[in-house]
Amino acid sequence: YQRRVRGQKPKMGVCGSVNHGDDLMDSLRAFREHFNLYAATAAGANSPEESCAKREIRTARQILDDFDKGVVKMDDQDELFVRAAEEFHGRKATPQEVRDLFRAVTAVKNGMDNLSIQRPVENVEMMPEYVGKALETKSSYLGQQRAVGRRETTS
């Protein structure tokens, strides 16, 4: 519940809260959990974990976009990005990974979207290793399925 100041809209984050730092960390943590479960499902299966992972990566991207555009500022923003990159990568992040966090999150979002519409997954090198490998595996499986489907229709 947010109290409104007369004439002003309450300032809320993407998730309806006022702490963008916590929202970002929660989204990246939830993304990793859902994505790892999605990666363990059979390739080509439309799992609920896929849609949950997509929702969380979109939320994280929107929060990072707000930081990037200067809509949101925090005193400990640099420390937040270090922790967020470590959460996203699942290990200690390099300084380059911290700087490229927004681009990496965007690459994962776009990669998952492309996989959904059976397009090639691009910018795998920008993604955390666990994400890139899983998306490449699922993408190659779908490519094989499409090739099999084409052969069956031409016979």
Side-chain angles (χ1 to χ4, degrees):
Y1 176 74
Q2 285 278 315
R3 260 185 66 210
R4 293 186 89 165
V5 177
R6 186 171 221 167
Q8 290 182 345
K9 292 182 180 178
K11 294 180 181 174
M12 294 182 151
V14 175
C15 299
S17 75
V18 276
N19 192 329
H20 285 75
D22 287 346
D23 289 345
L24 178 61
M25 295 302 291
D26 290 344
S27 290
L28 292 174
R29 186 173 304 111
F31 167 77
R32 251 194 41 229
E33 291 169 7
H34 289 294
F35 186 84
N36 286 329
L37 291 170
Y38 162 64
T41 62
N46 191 4
S47 74
E49 298 302 336
E50 177 185 13
S51 58
C52 290
K54 283 181 178 181
R55 181 185 64 236
E56 296 300 340
I57 202 69
R58 280 190 210 108
T59 300
R61 188 184 180 288
Q62 181 61 52
I63 294 168
L64 287 169
D65 193 43
D66 287 348
F67 277 110
D68 190 51
K69 291 179 179 175
V71 174
V72 177
K73 293 224 185 280
M74 293 178 64
D75 293 336
D76 57 348
Q77 191 168 313
D78 293 337
E79 177 60 32
L80 169 67
F81 290 152
V82 169
R83 289 181 305 147
E86 290 175 353
E87 183 66 48
F88 188 51
H89 288 274
R91 60 172 168 69
K92 186 158 178 55
T94 66
Q96 185 65 41
E97 289 169 337
V98 174
R99 284 190 298 274
D100 289 341
L101 180 61
F102 180 73
R103 289 176 43 198
V105 166
T106 300
V108 170
K109 180 204 160 295
N110 293 342
M112 290 188 76
D113 288 345
N114 284 350
L115 191 61
S116 293
I117 56 174
Q118 299 184 349
R119 287 182 137 176
V121 176
E122 298 170 345
N123 296 323
V124 176
E125 68 282 350
M126 288 295 306
M127 300 175 190
E129 189 176 347
Y130 70 98
V131 175
K133 283 182 178 179
L135 290 182
E136 282 182 326
T137 299
K138 287 185 180 283
S139 180
S140 66
Y141 173 80
L142 290 174
Q144 291 169 355
Q145 291 299 100
R146 284 192 303 271
V148 168
R150 280 194 298 270
R151 271 185 260 138
E152 289 173 357
T153 58
T154 58
S155 301

